[in-house]
Amino acid sequence: DTAVSQTPKYLVTQMGNDKSIKCEQNLGHDTMYWYKQDSKKFLKIMFSYNNKELIINETVPNRFSPKSPDKAHLNLHINSLELGDSAVYFCASSPTIAGASGGELFFGEGSRLTVL
Amino acid sequence: GNSVTQMEGPVTLSEEAFLTINCTYTATGYPSLFWYVQYPGEGLQLLLKATKADDKGSNKGFEATYRKETTSFHLEKGSVQVSDSAVYFCALSDRNNDMRFGAGTRLTVKP
């Protein structure tokens, strides 16, 4: 009964391949996110979806494509993987609080991607 | 745009020492402020939060006060334990649920 679950937890692949990471939340939240954490632990937002609609799309190469089939799922597909894509990718969700600043994020355990 | 600046680590303390990790922010409007903690091999989890000026968030002996006049949200703990060793992230969130994180501060507590 994990609140935010992402798969796979570890992914090792060759440069040039295409891979996907899946994320599901069972908290009933409206907003979901993808963050990238580099080797120095710096955490950078990539995308955010609210009720399947793209809200935040930071400067991310268009090789990265998020897909939200419903508000409980936000998947990340990466084409033509590069060495610099190696990182830990975190999915998160938050409730939408109308008329106030945002609520807290609930994070998955992360997916460590290694590109060889 | 919104941003968070926190003191660079790493920070190494002896058990029972006093901890301060500084955090300042830049934002329009009235964001909510958070401290998250990341233990080795895990995702981030909320440590404490404050949603308006002068609010104090507290949890597990950690405290932080939302100071609008100095745009700060410094994390403090009076007596750290070995189990507090982790990476700590200051963050802010605005009305659009746009959560921005600081660079993280690694804390190591030695027995």
Side-chain angles (χ1 to χ4, degrees):
Chain A
D1 57 345
T2 304
V4 181
S5 59
Q6 42 183 121
T7 55
K9 195 168 181 180
Y10 299 97
L11 187 53
V12 181
T13 188
Q14 300 287 330
M15 265 197 315
N17 283 350
D18 304 337
K19 291 293 177 186
S20 293
I21 307 172
K22 295 185 177 181
C23 179
E24 176 182 5
Q25 55 97 1
N26 62 7
L27 297 167
H29 290 166
D30 289 329
T31 309
M32 295 185 72
Y33 308 76
W34 278 108
Y35 283 86
K36 179 181 180 181
Q37 187 175 48
D38 63 23
S39 58
K40 294 183 179 178
K41 299 295 187 183
F42 185 72
L43 204 61
K44 180 176 162 54
I45 190 167
M46 301 175 69
F47 303 102
S48 132
Y49 271 73
N50 181 270
N51 276 322
K52 305 194 299 176
E53 182 183 342
L54 182 64
I55 301 297
I56 297 170
N57 184 356
E58 291 292 291
T59 308
V60 176
N62 57 16
R63 299 182 294 104
F64 290 79
S65 53
K67 289 209 171 31
S68 182
D70 55 60
K71 75 172 194 178
H73 295 83
L74 181 62
N75 304 323
L76 183 65
H77 188 75
I78 315 170
N79 288 327
S80 303
L81 279 157
E82 300 177 356
L83 293 177
D85 297 333
S86 295
V88 180
Y89 292 84
F90 285 100
C91 178
S93 71
S94 72
T96 300
I97 302 176
S101 292
E104 68 178 273
L105 293 188
F106 293 77
F107 282 84
E109 293 187 338
S111 296
R112 181 177 293 277
L113 171 65
T114 302
V115 182
L116 304 175
Chain B
N2 297 341
S3 66
V4 175
T5 303
Q6 63 182 98
M7 67 184 275
E8 292 186 22
V11 175
T12 302
L13 296 173
S14 297
E15 208 163 22
E16 299 185 2
F18 183 85
L19 168 72
T20 300
I21 301 177
N22 289 339
C23 171
T24 57
Y25 67 90
T26 302
T28 53
Y30 303 95
S32 290
L33 301 175
F34 305 82
W35 277 100
Y36 284 82
V37 59
Q38 185 179 28
Y39 299 103
E42 298 183 11
L44 280 72
Q45 53 187 277
L46 179 68
L47 179 60
L48 54 84
K49 69 176 182 180
T51 57
K52 60 183 188 296
D54 300 324
D55 268 2
K56 178 188 281 190
S58 60
N59 186 25
K60 300 181 181 178
F62 290 89
E63 293 183 341
T65 301
Y66 190 141
R67 302 279 187 208
K68 192 168 186 302
E69 64 276 13
T70 54
T71 61
S72 65
F73 193 55
H74 305 320
L75 182 68
E76 296 182 337
K77 186 174 185 181
S79 176
V80 292
Q81 306 300 313
V82 172
S83 57
D84 293 328
S85 298
V87 181
Y88 291 83
F89 292 89
C90 186
L92 69 77
S93 178
D94 62 12
R95 285 178 177 270
N96 296 318
N97 273 4
D98 183 358
M99 183 80 75
R100 301 286 166 154
F101 289 85
T105 303
R106 183 182 296 279
L107 170 67
T108 301
V109 180
K110 297 189 172 179

